[in-house]
Amino acid sequence: ESGAGGAARPSVRHARNQERQLRLGFKWSTDEGDRDAINRFLMHCVILSLAELCSEGVPPSHVNWRFSFPTAMKTDDARDYFDRAHQIVEAVCGESSRRNLATTTEADAASVYFREAFKASMPRSYLVLDIGGGTTDISVWTRKGRLWSGSFLLAGADLMLDFVVKNKGFLEALA
């Protein structure tokens, strides 16, 4: 399936190992059960993030919520994803939290994070690769701003999942 504003929607993928089944691609799914799983996951992330911030003395009204999406995501899917995220933040933090919400592409979010978190001095131009689980987002920047961005459906799950499932000790060896 393909449409304006995005790439074909991948299906929810499965990978099996001896103990359990891993399911990937929820962000792209239209299945109601998968949508419920997304909502539960987002709710969990919002509550945990808010708890951490409150434990540091940050009031909920001072939290700025940022949600990102792959450029490959169809416009309608991205809108639905953010509508759900906004509803969850509002349910947890109250109606006034809506003004503290923003959205951006994953490539733009990665670039802003690198520049701000590391106080990095940016060269004349640079390339950002955000390799996620299902997509790789790319953006090309100059000091004046983003020149180009794009996204394609090849990423970590495609490149590493089978290897990790077949080599159970791999992740433990990294720790």
Side-chain angles (χ1 to χ4, degrees):
E1 179 180 339
S2 182
R9 179 184 296 139
S11 63
V12 175
R13 297 191 345 233
H14 303 269
R16 293 188 183 276
N17 68 17
Q18 299 284 337
E19 294 91 35
R20 63 179 172 257
Q21 178 178 342
L22 301 175
R23 295 187 64 225
L24 307 168
F26 287 103
K27 191 182 334 186
W28 304 87
S29 178
T30 58
D31 178 78
E32 238 1 88
D34 290 341
R35 299 268 171 150
D36 288 342
I38 293 168
N39 289 345
R40 287 191 309 274
F41 175 76
L42 288 174
M43 178 73 80
H44 185 77
C45 290
V46 167
I47 290 170
L48 286 176
S49 298
L50 191 59
E52 286 287 330
L53 291 166
C54 287
S55 75
E56 296 293 324
V58 178
S61 61
H62 288 86
V63 176
N64 293 314
W65 297 96
R66 303 294 180 257
F67 294 90
S68 63
F69 61 96
T71 308
M73 184 176 268
K74 290 172 50 175
T75 305
D76 290 343
D77 291 338
R79 189 175 303 118
D80 179 63
Y81 175 71
F82 288 112
D83 285 346
R84 287 182 284 119
H86 290 189
Q87 290 168 4
I88 287 167
V89 168
E90 189 174 295
V92 172
C93 301
E95 192 174 311
S96 64
S97 63
R98 236 180 211 282
R99 70 176 176 268
N100 296 340
L101 289 163
T103 62
T104 188
T105 65
E106 290 178 353
D108 287 357
S111 178
V112 168
Y113 174 77
F114 183 74
R115 287 192 321 260
E116 291 181 6
F118 297 104
K119 305 292 184 223
S121 161
M122 292 296 118
R124 184 181 210 108
S125 59
Y126 60 98
L127 172 83
V128 175
L129 289 172
D130 177 17
I131 303 172
T135 59
T136 296
D137 283 70
I138 305 167
S139 58
V140 178
W141 294 79
T142 67
R143 290 187 178 143
K144 294 180 182 179
R146 181 172 30 90
L147 214 58
W148 177 87
S149 68
S151 184
F152 56 94
L153 302 172
L154 177 69
D158 302 302
L159 304 172
M160 290 293 296
L161 185 61
D162 287 338
F163 175 81
V164 171
V165 168
K166 291 175 184 170
N167 299 281
K168 294 177 189 171
F170 175 72
L171 294 177
E172 290 173 8
L174 294 177

mmCIF file with all atom_site columns, all heavy atoms in Angstrom, residues 108-124:
data_model
loop_
_atom_site.group_PDB
_atom_site.id
_atom_site.type_symbol
_atom_site.label_atom_id
_atom_site.label_alt_id
_atom_site.label_comp_id
_atom_site.label_asym_id
_atom_site.label_entity_id
_atom_site.label_seq_id
_atom_site.pdbx_PDB_ins_code
_atom_site.Cartn_x
_atom_site.Cartn_y
_atom_site.Cartn_z
_atom_site.occupancy
_atom_site.B_iso_or_equiv
_atom_site.pdbx_formal_charge
_atom_site.auth_seq_id
_atom_site.auth_comp_id
_atom_site.auth_asym_id
_atom_site.auth_atom_id
_atom_site.pdbx_PDB_model_num
ATOM 1   N N   . ASP A 1 108 ? 15.245 15.286 11.514 1.00 0.00 ? 108 ASP A N   1
ATOM 2   C CA  . ASP A 1 108 ? 15.372 16.617 12.106 1.00 0.00 ? 108 ASP A CA  1
ATOM 3   C C   . ASP A 1 108 ? 15.605 16.516 13.612 1.00 0.00 ? 108 ASP A C   1
ATOM 4   O O   . ASP A 1 108 ? 16.431 17.236 14.177 1.00 0.00 ? 108 ASP A O   1
ATOM 5   C CB  . ASP A 1 108 ? 14.134 17.459 11.823 1.00 0.00 ? 108 ASP A CB  1
ATOM 6   C CG  . ASP A 1 108 ? 14.064 17.922 10.372 1.00 0.00 ? 108 ASP A CG  1
ATOM 7   O OD1 . ASP A 1 108 ? 14.994 17.638 9.592  1.00 0.00 ? 108 ASP A OD1 1
ATOM 8   O OD2 . ASP A 1 108 ? 13.051 18.558 10.014 1.00 0.00 ? 108 ASP A OD2 1
ATOM 9   N N   . ALA A 1 109 ? 14.891 15.614 14.279 1.00 0.00 ? 109 ALA A N   1
ATOM 10  C CA  . ALA A 1 109 ? 15.068 15.436 15.718 1.00 0.00 ? 109 ALA A CA  1
ATOM 11  C C   . ALA A 1 109 ? 16.492 14.989 16.039 1.00 0.00 ? 109 ALA A C   1
ATOM 12  O O   . ALA A 1 109 ? 17.095 15.467 17.003 1.00 0.00 ? 109 ALA A O   1
ATOM 13  C CB  . ALA A 1 109 ? 14.050 14.425 16.251 1.00 0.00 ? 109 ALA A CB  1
ATOM 14  N N   . ALA A 1 110 ? 17.031 14.078 15.245 1.00 0.00 ? 110 ALA A N   1
ATOM 15  C CA  . ALA A 1 110 ? 18.401 13.599 15.475 1.00 0.00 ? 110 ALA A CA  1
ATOM 16  C C   . ALA A 1 110 ? 19.403 14.737 15.301 1.00 0.00 ? 110 ALA A C   1
ATOM 17  O O   . ALA A 1 110 ? 20.351 14.866 16.084 1.00 0.00 ? 110 ALA A O   1
ATOM 18  C CB  . ALA A 1 110 ? 18.730 12.450 14.522 1.00 0.00 ? 110 ALA A CB  1
ATOM 19  N N   . SER A 1 111 ? 19.202 15.574 14.310 1.00 0.00 ? 111 SER A N   1
ATOM 20  C CA  . SER A 1 111 ? 20.106 16.693 14.076 1.00 0.00 ? 111 SER A CA  1
ATOM 21  C C   . SER A 1 111 ? 20.056 17.693 15.230 1.00 0.00 ? 111 SER A C   1
ATOM 22  O O   . SER A 1 111 ? 21.098 18.132 15.727 1.00 0.00 ? 111 SER A O   1
ATOM 23  C CB  . SER A 1 111 ? 19.755 17.397 12.768 1.00 0.00 ? 111 SER A CB  1
ATOM 24  O OG  . SER A 1 111 ? 20.597 18.511 12.574 1.00 0.00 ? 111 SER A OG  1
ATOM 25  N N   . VAL A 1 112 ? 18.872 18.040 15.676 1.00 0.00 ? 112 VAL A N   1
ATOM 26  C CA  . VAL A 1 112 ? 18.724 18.988 16.786 1.00 0.00 ? 112 VAL A CA  1
ATOM 27  C C   . VAL A 1 112 ? 19.348 18.409 18.051 1.00 0.00 ? 112 VAL A C   1
ATOM 28  O O   . VAL A 1 112 ? 20.067 19.103 18.773 1.00 0.00 ? 112 VAL A O   1
ATOM 29  C CB  . VAL A 1 112 ? 17.235 19.336 17.017 1.00 0.00 ? 112 VAL A CB  1
ATOM 30  C CG1 . VAL A 1 112 ? 17.036 20.074 18.330 1.00 0.00 ? 112 VAL A CG1 1
ATOM 31  C CG2 . VAL A 1 112 ? 16.708 20.155 15.846 1.00 0.00 ? 112 VAL A CG2 1
ATOM 32  N N   . TYR A 1 113 ? 19.110 17.122 18.306 1.00 0.00 ? 113 TYR A N   1
ATOM 33  C CA  . TYR A 1 113 ? 19.685 16.488 19.493 1.00 0.00 ? 113 TYR A CA  1
ATOM 34  C C   . TYR A 1 113 ? 21.216 16.562 19.455 1.00 0.00 ? 113 TYR A C   1
ATOM 35  O O   . TYR A 1 113 ? 21.850 16.945 20.435 1.00 0.00 ? 113 TYR A O   1
ATOM 36  C CB  . TYR A 1 113 ? 19.230 15.032 19.600 1.00 0.00 ? 113 TYR A CB  1
ATOM 37  C CG  . TYR A 1 113 ? 19.912 14.297 20.724 1.00 0.00 ? 113 TYR A CG  1
ATOM 38  C CD1 . TYR A 1 113 ? 19.518 14.494 22.038 1.00 0.00 ? 113 TYR A CD1 1
ATOM 39  C CD2 . TYR A 1 113 ? 20.979 13.447 20.473 1.00 0.00 ? 113 TYR A CD2 1
ATOM 40  C CE1 . TYR A 1 113 ? 20.164 13.847 23.093 1.00 0.00 ? 113 TYR A CE1 1
ATOM 41  C CE2 . TYR A 1 113 ? 21.635 12.797 21.519 1.00 0.00 ? 113 TYR A CE2 1
ATOM 42  C CZ  . TYR A 1 113 ? 21.219 12.998 22.822 1.00 0.00 ? 113 TYR A CZ  1
ATOM 43  O OH  . TYR A 1 113 ? 21.869 12.363 23.840 1.00 0.00 ? 113 TYR A OH  1
ATOM 44  N N   . PHE A 1 114 ? 21.798 16.208 18.345 1.00 0.00 ? 114 PHE A N   1
ATOM 45  C CA  . PHE A 1 114 ? 23.257 16.218 18.234 1.00 0.00 ? 114 PHE A CA  1
ATOM 46  C C   . PHE A 1 114 ? 23.813 17.620 18.460 1.00 0.00 ? 114 PHE A C   1
ATOM 47  O O   . PHE A 1 114 ? 24.770 17.814 19.204 1.00 0.00 ? 114 PHE A O   1
ATOM 48  C CB  . PHE A 1 114 ? 23.681 15.676 16.862 1.00 0.00 ? 114 PHE A CB  1
ATOM 49  C CG  . PHE A 1 114 ? 25.159 15.586 16.695 1.00 0.00 ? 114 PHE A CG  1
ATOM 50  C CD1 . PHE A 1 114 ? 25.890 14.604 17.339 1.00 0.00 ? 114 PHE A CD1 1
ATOM 51  C CD2 . PHE A 1 114 ? 25.837 16.493 15.893 1.00 0.00 ? 114 PHE A CD2 1
ATOM 52  C CE1 . PHE A 1 114 ? 27.269 14.519 17.188 1.00 0.00 ? 114 PHE A CE1 1
ATOM 53  C CE2 . PHE A 1 114 ? 27.206 16.419 15.732 1.00 0.00 ? 114 PHE A CE2 1
ATOM 54  C CZ  . PHE A 1 114 ? 27.925 15.438 16.383 1.00 0.00 ? 114 PHE A CZ  1
ATOM 55  N N   . ARG A 1 115 ? 23.181 18.607 17.838 1.00 0.00 ? 115 ARG A N   1
ATOM 56  C CA  . ARG A 1 115 ? 23.665 19.987 17.980 1.00 0.00 ? 115 ARG A CA  1
ATOM 57  C C   . ARG A 1 115 ? 23.509 20.496 19.410 1.00 0.00 ? 115 ARG A C   1
ATOM 58  O O   . ARG A 1 115 ? 24.396 21.136 19.952 1.00 0.00 ? 115 ARG A O   1
ATOM 59  C CB  . ARG A 1 115 ? 22.910 20.915 17.029 1.00 0.00 ? 115 ARG A CB  1
ATOM 60  C CG  . ARG A 1 115 ? 23.298 20.763 15.584 1.00 0.00 ? 115 ARG A CG  1
ATOM 61  C CD  . ARG A 1 115 ? 22.740 21.885 14.709 1.00 0.00 ? 115 ARG A CD  1
ATOM 62  N NE  . ARG A 1 115 ? 21.400 22.305 15.027 1.00 0.00 ? 115 ARG A NE  1
ATOM 63  C CZ  . ARG A 1 115 ? 20.304 21.918 14.362 1.00 0.00 ? 115 ARG A CZ  1
ATOM 64  N NH1 . ARG A 1 115 ? 20.412 21.086 13.338 1.00 0.00 ? 115 ARG A NH1 1
ATOM 65  N NH2 . ARG A 1 115 ? 19.125 22.368 14.692 1.00 0.00 ? 115 ARG A NH2 1
ATOM 66  N N   . GLU A 1 116 ? 22.347 20.221 20.032 1.00 0.00 ? 116 GLU A N   1
ATOM 67  C CA  . GLU A 1 116 ? 22.078 20.798 21.348 1.00 0.00 ? 116 GLU A CA  1
ATOM 68  C C   . GLU A 1 116 ? 22.670 19.984 22.495 1.00 0.00 ? 116 GLU A C   1
ATOM 69  O O   . GLU A 1 116 ? 23.235 20.549 23.415 1.00 0.00 ? 116 GLU A O   1
ATOM 70  C CB  . GLU A 1 116 ? 20.574 20.979 21.532 1.00 0.00 ? 116 GLU A CB  1
ATOM 71  C CG  . GLU A 1 116 ? 20.033 22.067 20.614 1.00 0.00 ? 116 GLU A CG  1
ATOM 72  C CD  . GLU A 1 116 ? 18.536 22.296 20.778 1.00 0.00 ? 116 GLU A CD  1
ATOM 73  O OE1 . GLU A 1 116 ? 17.924 21.701 21.677 1.00 0.00 ? 116 GLU A OE1 1
ATOM 74  O OE2 . GLU A 1 116 ? 17.997 23.078 19.983 1.00 0.00 ? 116 GLU A OE2 1
ATOM 75  N N   . ALA A 1 117 ? 22.527 18.678 22.468 1.00 0.00 ? 117 ALA A N   1
ATOM 76  C CA  . ALA A 1 117 ? 22.989 17.848 23.586 1.00 0.00 ? 117 ALA A CA  1
ATOM 77  C C   . ALA A 1 117 ? 24.509 17.838 23.690 1.00 0.00 ? 117 ALA A C   1
ATOM 78  O O   . ALA A 1 117 ? 25.054 17.797 24.784 1.00 0.00 ? 117 ALA A O   1
ATOM 79  C CB  . ALA A 1 117 ? 22.459 16.427 23.451 1.00 0.00 ? 117 ALA A CB  1
ATOM 80  N N   . PHE A 1 118 ? 25.173 17.858 22.555 1.00 0.00 ? 118 PHE A N   1
ATOM 81  C CA  . PHE A 1 118 ? 26.627 17.784 22.559 1.00 0.00 ? 118 PHE A CA  1
ATOM 82  C C   . PHE A 1 118 ? 27.277 19.133 22.280 1.00 0.00 ? 118 PHE A C   1
ATOM 83  O O   . PHE A 1 118 ? 28.493 19.225 22.179 1.00 0.00 ? 118 PHE A O   1
ATOM 84  C CB  . PHE A 1 118 ? 27.107 16.743 21.538 1.00 0.00 ? 118 PHE A CB  1
ATOM 85  C CG  . PHE A 1 118 ? 26.647 15.362 21.869 1.00 0.00 ? 118 PHE A CG  1
ATOM 86  C CD1 . PHE A 1 118 ? 25.612 14.778 21.166 1.00 0.00 ? 118 PHE A CD1 1
ATOM 87  C CD2 . PHE A 1 118 ? 27.232 14.651 22.901 1.00 0.00 ? 118 PHE A CD2 1
ATOM 88  C CE1 . PHE A 1 118 ? 25.173 13.504 21.480 1.00 0.00 ? 118 PHE A CE1 1
ATOM 89  C CE2 . PHE A 1 118 ? 26.804 13.378 23.221 1.00 0.00 ? 118 PHE A CE2 1
ATOM 90  C CZ  . PHE A 1 118 ? 25.767 12.808 22.516 1.00 0.00 ? 118 PHE A CZ  1
ATOM 91  N N   . LYS A 1 119 ? 26.454 20.162 22.129 1.00 0.00 ? 119 LYS A N   1
ATOM 92  C CA  . LYS A 1 119 ? 26.964 21.505 21.820 1.00 0.00 ? 119 LYS A CA  1
ATOM 93  C C   . LYS A 1 119 ? 27.977 21.440 20.680 1.00 0.00 ? 119 LYS A C   1
ATOM 94  O O   . LYS A 1 119 ? 29.029 22.067 20.712 1.00 0.00 ? 119 LYS A O   1
ATOM 95  C CB  . LYS A 1 119 ? 27.593 22.153 23.056 1.00 0.00 ? 119 LYS A CB  1
ATOM 96  C CG  . LYS A 1 119 ? 26.684 22.207 24.248 1.00 0.00 ? 119 LYS A CG  1
ATOM 97  C CD  . LYS A 1 119 ? 25.531 23.148 24.029 1.00 0.00 ? 119 LYS A CD  1
ATOM 98  C CE  . LYS A 1 119 ? 24.690 23.250 25.292 1.00 0.00 ? 119 LYS A CE  1
ATOM 99  N NZ  . LYS A 1 119 ? 23.292 23.212 25.054 1.00 0.00 ? 119 LYS A NZ  1
ATOM 100 N N   . ALA A 1 120 ? 27.623 20.631 19.696 1.00 0.00 ? 120 ALA A N   1
ATOM 101 C CA  . ALA A 1 120 ? 28.539 20.370 18.591 1.00 0.00 ? 120 ALA A CA  1
ATOM 102 C C   . ALA A 1 120 ? 28.661 21.587 17.680 1.00 0.00 ? 120 ALA A C   1
ATOM 103 O O   . ALA A 1 120 ? 27.683 22.239 17.355 1.00 0.00 ? 120 ALA A O   1
ATOM 104 C CB  . ALA A 1 120 ? 28.054 19.167 17.787 1.00 0.00 ? 120 ALA A CB  1
ATOM 105 N N   . SER A 1 121 ? 29.854 21.862 17.290 1.00 0.00 ? 121 SER A N   1
ATOM 106 C CA  . SER A 1 121 ? 30.123 22.885 16.301 1.00 0.00 ? 121 SER A CA  1
ATOM 107 C C   . SER A 1 121 ? 29.883 22.253 14.935 1.00 0.00 ? 121 SER A C   1
ATOM 108 O O   . SER A 1 121 ? 30.505 21.256 14.576 1.00 0.00 ? 121 SER A O   1
ATOM 109 C CB  . SER A 1 121 ? 31.570 23.341 16.447 1.00 0.00 ? 121 SER A CB  1
ATOM 110 O OG  . SER A 1 121 ? 31.999 23.977 15.281 1.00 0.00 ? 121 SER A OG  1
ATOM 111 N N   . MET A 1 122 ? 28.976 22.811 14.201 1.00 0.00 ? 122 MET A N   1
ATOM 112 C CA  . MET A 1 122 ? 28.587 22.208 12.931 1.00 0.00 ? 122 MET A CA  1
ATOM 113 C C   . MET A 1 122 ? 29.492 22.693 11.791 1.00 0.00 ? 122 MET A C   1
ATOM 114 O O   . MET A 1 122 ? 29.799 23.874 11.705 1.00 0.00 ? 122 MET A O   1
ATOM 115 C CB  . MET A 1 122 ? 27.145 22.562 12.585 1.00 0.00 ? 122 MET A CB  1
ATOM 116 C CG  . MET A 1 122 ? 26.130 21.937 13.517 1.00 0.00 ? 122 MET A CG  1
ATOM 117 S SD  . MET A 1 122 ? 26.147 20.153 13.396 1.00 0.00 ? 122 MET A SD  1
ATOM 118 C CE  . MET A 1 122 ? 26.629 19.695 15.022 1.00 0.00 ? 122 MET A CE  1
ATOM 119 N N   . PRO A 1 123 ? 29.898 21.755 10.959 1.00 0.00 ? 123 PRO A N   1
ATOM 120 C CA  . PRO A 1 123 ? 30.682 22.150 9.779  1.00 0.00 ? 123 PRO A CA  1
ATOM 121 C C   . PRO A 1 123 ? 29.788 22.887 8.782  1.00 0.00 ? 123 PRO A C   1
ATOM 122 O O   . PRO A 1 123 ? 28.588 23.031 8.990  1.00 0.00 ? 123 PRO A O   1
ATOM 123 C CB  . PRO A 1 123 ? 31.161 20.809 9.224  1.00 0.00 ? 123 PRO A CB  1
ATOM 124 C CG  . PRO A 1 123 ? 30.175 19.814 9.722  1.00 0.00 ? 123 PRO A CG  1
ATOM 125 C CD  . PRO A 1 123 ? 29.665 20.324 11.026 1.00 0.00 ? 123 PRO A CD  1
ATOM 126 N N   . ARG A 1 124 ? 30.372 23.294 7.708  1.00 0.00 ? 124 ARG A N   1
ATOM 127 C CA  . ARG A 1 124 ? 29.648 24.019 6.656  1.00 0.00 ? 124 ARG A CA  1
ATOM 128 C C   . ARG A 1 124 ? 28.417 23.251 6.187  1.00 0.00 ? 124 ARG A C   1
ATOM 129 O O   . ARG A 1 124 ? 27.359 23.812 5.972  1.00 0.00 ? 124 ARG A O   1
ATOM 130 C CB  . ARG A 1 124 ? 30.609 24.273 5.505  1.00 0.00 ? 124 ARG A CB  1
ATOM 131 C CG  . ARG A 1 124 ? 30.066 25.081 4.410  1.00 0.00 ? 124 ARG A CG  1
ATOM 132 C CD  . ARG A 1 124 ? 31.139 25.224 3.313  1.00 0.00 ? 124 ARG A CD  1
ATOM 133 N NE  . ARG A 1 124 ? 30.966 26.466 2.637  1.00 0.00 ? 124 ARG A NE  1
ATOM 134 C CZ  . ARG A 1 124 ? 31.738 27.519 2.744  1.00 0.00 ? 124 ARG A CZ  1
ATOM 135 N NH1 . ARG A 1 124 ? 32.782 27.487 3.521  1.00 0.00 ? 124 ARG A NH1 1
ATOM 136 N NH2 . ARG A 1 124 ? 31.498 28.610 2.086  1.00 0.00 ? 124 ARG A NH2 1
#
